[in-house]
Amino acid sequence: QVQLVESGGGSVQTGGSLRLSCAASGYTYSAFCMGWFRQAPGKEREGVAQIDNTGGATYYADSVKGRFTISRDNAKATLYLQMNSLKPEDTAMYFCARRASRWCGQLVPSGNDYWGQGTQVTVSS
């Protein structure tokens, strides 16, 4: 069965960095767009970044452009999110998700058919 397992979350101070990983299994990883999403307490889940199946195209939310970098290693079936210059407003549970297509489409939660359990990121001022 499809499994997505995130890791790498933690607590950092403003301006710090974290690298999230998402290990995928149970399907042909290289055939699907993948994405990172986040949800803060009391807020709706929102898109952070997406990457197409080859890694050749990436998409970012305006709030993270220039600070976050999404990448993937298809040989290792792993998705990454390098987060630099973190701000308190980046505090949230971060989820990886599989898009039900090799193409990414809109950076929204709908259209993603499998989700990981999430990893917490906390940024203190």
Side-chain angles (χ1 to χ4, degrees):
Q1 70 278 22
V2 174
Q3 284 194 316
L4 300 173
V5 180
E6 302 96 334
S7 61
S11 297
V12 296
Q13 292 189 326
T14 297
S17 297
L18 284 172
R19 189 194 195 202
L20 306 184
S21 298
C22 171
S25 61
Y27 70 101
T28 303
Y29 178 74
S30 60
F32 294 86
C33 165
M34 295 293 296
W36 287 100
F37 296 80
R38 66 186 181 186
Q39 189 167 18
K43 294 189 176 181
E44 293 187 353
R45 191 168 297 190
E46 63 177 2
V48 175
Q50 283 184 318
I51 186 167
D52 75 354
N53 67 310
T54 67
T58 56
Y59 310 89
Y60 295 93
D62 288 343
S63 59
V64 306
K65 279 181 183 176
R67 300 188 298 122
F68 291 10
T69 303
I70 189 171
S71 62
R72 65 190 296 161
D73 184 333
N74 283 350
K76 295 182 179 179
T78 302
L79 179 71
Y80 303 101
L81 185 69
Q82 178 66 44
M83 305 186 294
N84 298 329
S85 303
L86 283 161
K87 304 175 181 180
E89 50 263 45
D90 295 317
T91 294
M93 185 72 78
Y94 282 71
F95 301 88
C96 66
R98 188 186 84 167
R99 185 92 182 166
S101 171
R102 68 177 62 190
W103 297 287
C104 293
Q106 286 189 299
L107 185 52
V108 294
S110 60
N112 292 278
D113 56 0
Y114 288 94
W115 294 82
Q117 83 289 347
T119 186
Q120 178 68 38
V121 172
T122 303
V123 185
S124 58
S125 56

